Amino acid sequence: MSGPTLNDLIATVFLRASNPPLPPPPHQFDSRAPQISSSSASSSSQSDPAQVTLSLLERAQRISESIGVISPNDALGDISTSSLRTLFLASLAAELHSAVRTGIDHSARKHRLRQSQEASAKYLNRVLGLGVVPPSTRQLVRWTLHSVPQAELEGNGLDSGALNGQGSTSAILPHSREVKIATFKLERELKDNLDKFRHAYQTKNKLTGVKAPSDVFYDLLLYHRQASSNGGGGKDTSDAEEAEEDDDEEVVDGDNQVSSNSAPGGIATVRQYLLALLNLHTLRNAQLITSASQEHELLGSIPPPPPTQTHSSSSRQSGSDASNAEWRLDRGPTSSLPTTGALMAPGGKVLRPFTITNKSRAELNSEVFRSGYRLPTMSIDEYLEEEQRRGNILQGGGQASYDKPTSKEERQLRMEQDGTKDAEQAEEEQRQKDLDWDTFSEQNKRGAGNTMNRG
């Protein structure tokens, strides 16, 4: 053959999608750098690994459509095992469209999401129409797509008749969490069975040194001929070459089988492996449509970026700012006013910034330049006097309190000072106290207050 076959190109595409090369580092923005032209921008977009892989995949799709590998009227039994691999191209295209980096360009991201949904819808229409998906998986797909508006599904090209199927019963829609759990369990079961079969296939055919995708999701068991990294080059394959490739693949499928006793999940041949892998891709594409719809809704709620200013408007704005800065009293970060010299020109124009205040320089210095700690507001003696006035200091007690005469003794000493006014006042106080005591004695008989031992 003069060039790589379609299977070689498909193997290259899926191998690149499984192990994509590292993307180039982002360029740092420099305002002094010249504007990037459209040609350089397009070359930077081509450096995206997903974009490069997508270009190879589109070439494989064109070859498949040009030679008519699968006819729209073909049933599942009419499609050969090698031709089944072309059904995966639309599924991988949906994933690559969503993986292309668009930066902060929201419109470009929305366009990529729309292309991803259209590719997923194309894949689902084809697989569901062929009857590859069992009724239980079809029900899971229908429940997964329930959150997407019907108008959006129809706009992406998804056939509701193929999704519902013939004879499908309307079951009660479970909670979205239960649907996700059921989908996750089915995906894990399919991956385990597929992984066990491909390991058995590699061991039986002694394919230990071949380059295979790390994830079973991208493994189409194309080991007999590995394509180079630039598999997109060369001439397109002809009908005869593709027919020969199909015949060779059928021989491989017939000779390389796993015994039915040890077949994982009922997968005993390459054809059964590819059919099970189609079911796994069906679940993944339903999730891609749902996630793309949610992301599209989030992007729609983001406000549009502010309009960019033209050169003339920006120059006018800068000119007005410069003229306003000359008459400002405060000094801005870009002010060109001097800091020394006269404050104002004779015509009234401000020459340097100044502040109008009614305080002297000494007062301003005393308010600004202060101690780093709090100064006391009163002395210790003033503090003790204030505390004593408030009654917070206890006084008395001790020997001084013992030596101090009682009130009766003080009154007796005052009475001894004959002929003085203080003595007369002390005698009057004593007489009044005796009268009060006599009155109390007359009103209260002896023993009246004793409430015990009354006999």
Side-chain angles (χ1 to χ4, degrees):
M1 298 182 183
S2 59
T5 62
L6 179 59
N7 279 341
D8 294 335
L9 189 56
I10 293 176
T12 301
V13 170
F14 276 82
L15 189 60
R16 285 182 59 91
S18 174
N19 304 307
L22 295 177
H27 297 284
Q28 187 175 4
F29 176 74
D30 189 1
S31 58
R32 297 170 296 179
Q35 296 292 334
I36 301 176
S37 60
S38 59
S39 59
S40 59
S42 61
S43 62
S44 62
S45 63
Q46 290 295 331
S47 61
D48 188 359
Q51 184 67 32
V52 176
T53 308
L54 188 60
S55 62
L56 294 176
L57 185 141
E58 291 174 351
R59 183 171 184 270
Q61 285 180 326
R62 290 194 300 268
I63 295 175
S64 175
E65 294 174 358
S66 63
I67 63 179
V69 176
I70 298 179
S71 174
N73 300 325
D74 289 343
L76 182 60
D78 301 332
I79 303 175
S80 64
T81 302
S82 179
S83 300
L84 284 177
R85 294 187 173 94
T86 58
L87 296 175
F88 294 94
L89 295 177
S91 174
L92 187 60
E95 185 173 350
L96 292 176
H97 276 299
S98 62
V100 172
R101 298 179 302 169
T102 57
I104 60 175
D105 191 355
H106 296 166
S107 60
R109 181 59 182 171
K110 291 179 181 179
H111 179 65
R112 286 294 180 182
L113 292 176
R114 182 62 180 271
Q115 288 181 323
S116 176
Q117 288 181 319
E118 291 176 353
S120 295
K122 180 180 178 181
Y123 171 80
L124 292 177
N125 290 337
R126 189 58 174 161
V127 173
L128 295 176
L130 290 174
V132 178
V133 181
S136 58
T137 306
R138 188 191 299 266
Q139 184 72 276
L140 274 180
V141 172
R142 186 160 55 249
W143 285 341
T144 304
L145 298 177
H146 181 74
S147 59
V148 184
Q150 186 66 25
E152 183 177 350
L153 293 177
E154 295 177 356
N156 294 327
L158 184 62
D159 187 6
S160 58
L163 181 62
N164 296 327
Q166 297 179 357
S168 60
T169 58
S170 58
I172 300 176
L173 178 66
H175 194 270
S176 59
R177 182 175 180 272
E178 298 177 0
V179 175
K180 292 180 180 179
I181 292 175
T183 304
F184 172 75
K185 289 182 178 179
L186 182 57
E187 284 186 355
R188 184 174 58 182
E189 182 181 358
L190 287 173
K191 280 188 174 182
D192 292 342
N193 295 333
L194 292 171
D195 197 50
K196 291 177 182 178
F197 176 81
R198 73 165 180 166
H199 284 312
Y201 180 82
Q202 293 174 2
T203 303
K204 184 177 180 63
N205 293 274
K206 299 179 181 180
L207 301 173
T208 56
V210 297
K211 185 184 297 184
S214 57
D215 191 357
V216 70
F217 181 80
Y218 303 97
D219 196 352
L220 303 184
L221 301 182
L222 288 174
Y223 304 140
H224 61 285
R225 183 179 301 171
Q226 289 295 334
S228 59
S229 59
N230 57 353
K235 299 180 181 179
D236 296 349
T237 56
S238 61
D239 296 349
E241 291 173 340
E242 288 302 324
E244 181 181 357
E245 188 72 24
D246 289 344
D247 295 338
D248 295 341
E249 192 64 27
E250 289 296 334
V251 173
V252 172
D253 293 346
D255 295 340
N256 296 279
Q257 296 184 0
V258 181
S259 61
S260 58
N261 296 331
S262 61
I267 303 176
T269 62
V270 176
R271 185 177 184 85
Q272 293 175 355
Y273 173 89
L274 294 178
L275 292 177
L277 189 59
L278 286 172
N279 281 268
L280 181 61
H281 278 252
T282 300
L283 297 175
R284 185 71 63 87
N285 277 267
Q287 297 174 11
L288 278 177
I289 293 178
T290 305
S291 61
S293 177
Q294 295 174 356
E295 185 177 354
H296 196 279
E297 183 179 358
L298 289 176
L299 292 175
S301 61
I302 298 178
T308 57
Q309 296 182 353
T310 60
H311 179 70
S312 58
S313 61
S314 60
S315 60
R316 288 195 302 268
Q317 182 69 20
S318 60
S320 61
D321 293 342
S323 60
N324 293 335
E326 294 180 357
W327 292 92
R328 289 177 62 92
L329 296 180
D330 55 342
R331 185 176 183 85
T334 59
S335 177
S336 59
L337 297 177
T339 56
T340 58
L343 296 179
M344 299 181 65
K349 185 177 181 179
V350 178
L351 299 180
R352 64 186 180 93
F354 61 90
T355 304
I356 301 175
T357 179
N358 57 353
K359 295 182 180 181
S360 62
R361 186 181 297 272
E363 292 176 348
L364 293 176
N365 289 339
S366 63
E367 293 179 357
V368 175
F369 301 101
R370 297 180 179 179
S371 303
Y373 53 89
R374 292 185 178 181
L375 298 176
T377 57
M378 62 178 66
S379 63
I380 297 178
D381 295 337
E382 292 174 348
Y383 171 74
L384 293 177
E385 290 177 0
E386 180 65 21
E387 290 296 315
Q388 185 178 5
R389 186 187 66 81
R390 294 179 179 179
N392 295 333
I393 299 178
L394 299 179
Q395 297 178 351
Q399 186 64 30
S401 178
Y402 177 78
D403 297 338
K404 184 178 180 180
T406 62
S407 59
K408 184 176 181 180
E409 293 175 349
E410 288 181 355
R411 189 166 52 251
Q412 187 67 27
L413 292 175
R414 289 163 56 196
M415 291 172 59
E416 292 177 355
Q417 299 176 3
D418 297 336
T420 61
K421 188 176 182 180
D422 191 17
E424 294 178 358
Q425 187 176 0
E427 292 176 356
E428 181 63 25
E429 291 177 0
Q430 184 63 32
R431 188 183 65 83
Q432 187 65 34
K433 185 175 182 181
D434 293 341
L435 290 176
D436 293 340
W437 179 250
D438 292 341
T439 304
F440 178 80
S441 299
E442 292 176 357
Q443 294 178 355
N444 300 278
K445 296 181 179 181
R446 184 179 180 84
N450 187 7
T451 58
M452 301 178 64
N453 299 328
R454 291 185 177 182

